[in-house]
Amino acid sequence: MTFAATRASGGDLGRLVERYNTTRPGSPVRYVALATEADQQRRAMVQDLQARTGRYDVLYVDAVWTAEFAARGWLEPLEAQRFAGPEILDAAAATGRWNGRLYAAPFATGTGLLFYRSDLVEKPPTTWQELLEACAIAKREAMDCYAGQYMRYEGLTVAVVEAIASAGGRVIGADGTVTVNSPQARRGLRFLVEARERGHIPHAALTYNEDLTRLAFQRGELLFMRNWAFAYPLMNAPGEESVVQGRFDVAALPGPGGPGTGTLGGNNLGLSAYSDHKAEALRFIEFLQSEAVMREWLTATSTPMARTELFTDPEILRHAPYLAPMRAGLERTRPRPVTPRYNDVTNAVQQHAYAAMSGEATVEEAISGMHAELNRVVQGR
């Protein structure tokens, strides 16, 4: 039996496989390490699934791939009570569902956080207006104010979906129709565009991915940063060249009138419909979902995990205090568009949002263009 997963998971999944194999020497699992880049991981999985070879039994799938893989019949439906029971966060379980059925067992999860300089900001902003008003502190300190991930890649889709959802809008509705042509979507995108035009978001942020944003904040160049949990321990690590060690904290993302709406990240565990080892694969998935394994993985990688109890355990919170605001943020999350054609959807969002962020299009032009392109995608044109 094989387990196909990325090399870039923040830890060594191969060691988890080795540990499992010591308990079941008669039916060992072989770890297949896929490429670092998400697009290459997906391509390898899709090629195998399209060919129906069954070479990969258990798949470490990005949360946004569930709909596509399930709709194409590539994933075996899973028993919800067994793999998404009450011990699993509802938000994490939602990323494993398609058309009301569970197709991927939740493993890693998380949503974005607002990192802020606690030595310069007395209280983290809870609204967009408070965030922008605090930019006066950044100006006084000769630093940039705020940045997220605005390079033209998946991070930009996340940023735009979060801003639109925080303003009460959606890119694609729950029924699969395109709903981005709305006042709420315009308000969300306009917040990002106007912050960029006014210099509150620096021009350099149009080239930022997650790690470049983290490095800018770590060097003391930003007052606020939107990023994932991975950045927290890195910036406090002993020996790390970080001017913000012990001088930053995290809070929930702000929104127009209060805490904002984050989007979900994470990875789930899917069972190939073409696997010849389904019973053993299900036992292996149960092993990875166990409290002991998830606790170990969180401790080793700082990755938020899908089990509810790990967000309130005092011992874990001492080492990972960012889990408390993240748990609150997970109550307000919304997934990225759930669609079998996610790759086409995210490309359309990125294209038009980047045009607005870079000044090549107005907010109105970007939303109108996005709406038209998404309609073509959803209708299969």
Side-chain angles (χ1 to χ4, degrees):
M1 196 193 82
T2 58
F3 175 40
T6 172
R7 295 175 184 273
S9 301
D12 189 352
L13 286 168
R15 291 190 64 181
L16 292 182
V17 172
E18 291 171 6
R19 182 167 140 198
Y20 176 81
N21 288 341
T22 63
T23 68
R24 300 189 67 84
S27 50
V29 176
R30 181 169 63 88
Y31 174 49
V32 180
L34 302 181
T36 300
E37 295 297 324
D39 286 347
Q40 295 178 41
Q41 297 162 31
R42 178 184 169 277
R43 189 176 303 115
M45 291 182 188
V46 168
Q47 287 173 348
D48 178 72
L49 293 165
Q50 285 179 328
R52 304 187 178 189
T53 67
R55 180 186 171 210
Y56 302 150
D57 296 287
V58 177
L59 307 168
Y60 193 69
V61 297
D62 191 288
V64 298
W65 299 343
T66 303
E68 176 191 4
F69 287 16
R72 294 191 179 191
W74 293 342
L75 297 180
E76 190 77 7
L78 302 177
E79 184 184 339
Q81 190 60 32
R82 183 177 179 184
F83 296 105
E87 71 280 4
I88 299 295
L89 288 166
D90 290 341
T95 66
R97 292 194 175 95
W98 168 247
N99 276 354
R101 299 192 71 179
L102 186 74
Y103 284 92
F107 183 67
T109 190
T111 189
L113 293 165
L114 180 72
F115 290 72
Y116 67 96
R117 287 287 298 273
S118 55
D119 59 331
L120 300 175
V121 177
E122 184 176 341
K123 181 180 176 183
T126 60
T127 68
W128 289 342
Q129 186 59 36
E130 290 174 359
L131 174 67
L132 297 179
E133 288 174 356
C135 288
I137 300 172
K139 185 176 181 180
R140 183 190 71 208
E141 299 291 329
M143 61 199 304
D144 290 319
C145 185
Y146 175 68
Q149 293 74 56
Y150 309 123
M151 179 193 294
R152 188 174 165 181
Y153 80 119
E154 183 62 22
L156 179 57
T157 297
V158 169
V160 172
V161 168
E162 285 179 340
I164 289 174
S166 295
R170 299 187 75 155
V171 174
I172 294 179
D175 61 356
T177 59
V178 178
T179 56
V180 76
N181 195 2
S182 69
Q184 293 86 355
R186 289 182 182 81
R187 185 182 187 188
L189 182 58
R190 185 173 292 112
F191 163 70
L192 295 175
V193 170
E194 290 186 352
R196 164 68 203 95
E197 290 174 344
R198 296 172 183 173
H200 300 316
I201 294 175
H203 182 77
L206 297 180
T207 67
Y208 284 177
N209 59 15
E210 288 86 352
D211 215 44
L212 289 175
T213 318
R214 188 261 302 182
L215 289 171
F217 187 86
Q218 185 171 308
R219 291 191 297 261
E221 297 170 7
L222 292 169
L223 184 64
F224 299 106
M225 168 181 74
R226 182 264 177 230
N227 219 323
W228 304 92
F230 84 95
Y232 192 100
L234 289 178
M235 295 190 298
N236 270 333
E240 182 75 17
E241 292 185 8
S242 172
V243 302
V244 300
Q245 281 189 19
R247 300 164 65 189
F248 72 91
D249 208 340
V250 294
L253 295 172
T261 301
T263 192
L264 285 162
N267 291 87
N268 300 328
L269 305 161
L271 170 57
S272 169
Y274 312 113
S275 169
D276 291 326
H277 311 94
K278 289 188 174 67
E280 186 60 39
L282 292 173
R283 284 191 287 270
F284 178 62
I285 291 173
E286 278 189 319
F287 164 79
L288 291 178
Q289 274 200 316
S290 67
E291 191 271 345
V293 168
M294 285 197 178
R295 177 182 290 269
E296 177 186 321
W297 193 251
L298 192 161
T299 302
T301 69
S302 304
T303 303
M305 305 306 290
R307 294 186 75 94
T308 305
E309 68 223 66
L310 298 180
F311 283 84
T312 56
D313 185 290
E315 181 183 348
I316 288 178
L317 288 173
R318 278 196 295 273
H319 299 286
Y322 53 85
L323 291 176
M326 179 171 288
R327 181 68 181 88
L330 285 168
E331 296 291 338
R332 296 183 296 274
T333 55
R334 185 170 291 169
R336 280 164 278 179
V338 179
T339 168
R341 300 194 63 184
Y342 183 79
N343 264 20
D344 295 327
V345 166
T346 188
N347 286 334
V349 172
Q350 292 167 35
Q351 174 189 345
H352 294 284
Y354 189 83
M357 289 288 289
S358 61
E360 297 171 6
T362 65
V363 169
E364 184 63 40
E365 290 168 342
I367 291 293
S368 297
M370 195 183 300
H371 182 84
E373 181 66 23
L374 288 173
N375 265 328
R376 287 193 288 271
V377 168
V378 168
Q379 293 168 15
R381 296 178 185 172

